[in-house]
Amino acid sequence: MKNTKKFLAFLGAVLLLGLYLTTLIFALIDSPFAYTMFKICLYCTIMVPVLIYAMILVYRRVKEKNEEIYGKKIDTVIFDVGNVLVDYNWKKYLSSFGFDEEMNKTIAEAMFLNPVWDEADRGILTPEELSDAFVRNCPEYEKELRMLYETPGQTVFTLDYAKDWIRTLKKQGLKVYILSNYSERTFEQTKEQLDFLSLVDGALFSFQCHMIKPEKGIYQKLTDRYHIIPNRAVFIDDRQKNVDGAREAGLQALRFTTYEDTRRALERLLSTLV
C-alpha cells in the first residue's frame, strides 16, 4: 500500500507539472489557449489529489473485502510430515513381519491404532514405558510388540516430491516450516528420510514441546517461536482434526489429499490473496 501511494503521488505530480509547463509555454508564445490551460491547471490542482485519494479508498476497500473472503496474503507455508512430506505406512511395516491377518489386526489395535501410539508423539513417556503400555493392551503378543517398537522408524518412507516442493515455495519468497506429531525414537531413526529439514526455515516436532496436534498450544508454540503471523500462514495436514485445530489457532489451512491436488489448491490460494 505504501508503494501504491508513492506511485499515485508521483503520477499526480508529473501530470500537474506537465500541465503547468504547457501553460507556461503557451503564455510565452502568447497563445490564446494560455488562459484555458491555466483554468485547466487550477481545476486539476484540486481534482487530481481528490481522485488519488478516491483511488486509495477504493483500493483499501477491495483489499479489505478480499481479506474478509479469502484471508490475508500468505507469506508462510507450514507442513505436517507424515503422509504429506513422507509416507507414514505402519501397515507396510507390520506386514513385513509375515504375521497372519488375525494377528496383524490384534497387534494393530494394541499398538498403532491405540491412543498410546499418539502419546508416544508427546515425548513424555520413555520408550520402555511405551513398550510396557503396548504389552498391557495385548500381553499374549509381548515379544512381537516389543520387537515392533524397537524400530518404529521403519514405518516412514521417503517421498520424491518433498524437497522439490519446498524449493519451489522458497523460490517464490515464502517461508517454510514444519509442524508434526512425531516421537523422539522415530525421529532419531528417520533422519535420512527427513533430509528436507535442511531446506526449511524452522521445525517443531511434538516430542520437543510435549504437545500434540490438534491441541491449540502446539500451533501457538510454532508461531511464537518463529514470529509467524497466523492469518498470513497456511498449514497443510492430511488429518481433518489437525486442519480444524490450525484454523482454531488462527492459521489458514488446507487438508492434504494427493500431492498434485494439494499443490494446485495451494497455488490457487496463493494467487487469490492480494
Side-chain angles (χ1 to χ4, degrees), residues 182-195:
Y182 223 90
S183 75
E184 185 171 9
R185 172 170 281 190
T186 305
F187 180 80
E188 291 300 325
Q189 294 179 6
T190 57
K191 289 181 178 179
E192 184 176 341
Q193 290 91 325
L194 305 181
D195 58 352

Side-chain angles (χ1 to χ4, degrees), residues 106-174:
T106 303
I107 288 176
E109 291 173 352
M111 188 174 189
F112 301 107
L113 301 178
N114 193 276
V116 176
W117 185 260
D118 291 333
E119 284 304 306
D121 294 337
R122 195 180 295 277
I124 294 176
L125 299 176
T126 67
E128 293 73 23
E129 289 171 328
L130 289 164
S131 292
D132 290 343
F134 294 135
V135 170
R136 284 195 295 272
N137 292 331
C138 186
E140 61 269 34
Y141 290 135
E142 177 177 358
K143 177 182 176 182
E144 289 80 5
L145 288 166
R146 292 192 186 280
M147 177 181 65
L148 283 163
Y149 199 59
E150 283 298 315
T151 54
Q154 292 182 28
T155 60
V156 175
F157 305 88
T158 302
L159 291 172
D160 293 337
Y161 61 76
K163 292 171 73 173
D164 287 340
W165 197 5
I166 293 171
R167 287 192 185 102
T168 298
L169 294 171
K170 295 285 290 179
K171 287 178 181 177
Q172 294 174 20
L174 295 161

Side-chain angles (χ1 to χ4, degrees), residues 92-107:
K92 182 178 178 181
Y93 172 57
L94 181 56
S95 66
S96 69
F97 289 86
F99 305 140
D100 62 43
E101 184 176 346
E102 186 61 30
M103 188 173 176
N104 278 345
K105 181 180 178 183
T106 303
I107 288 176

Side-chain angles (χ1 to χ4, degrees), residues 1-13 52 56:
M1 185 61 189
K2 187 176 181 181
N3 289 334
T4 302
K5 286 182 180 179
K6 288 181 178 180
F7 175 75
L8 291 174
F10 176 76
L11 189 64
I52 290 174
I56 290 172

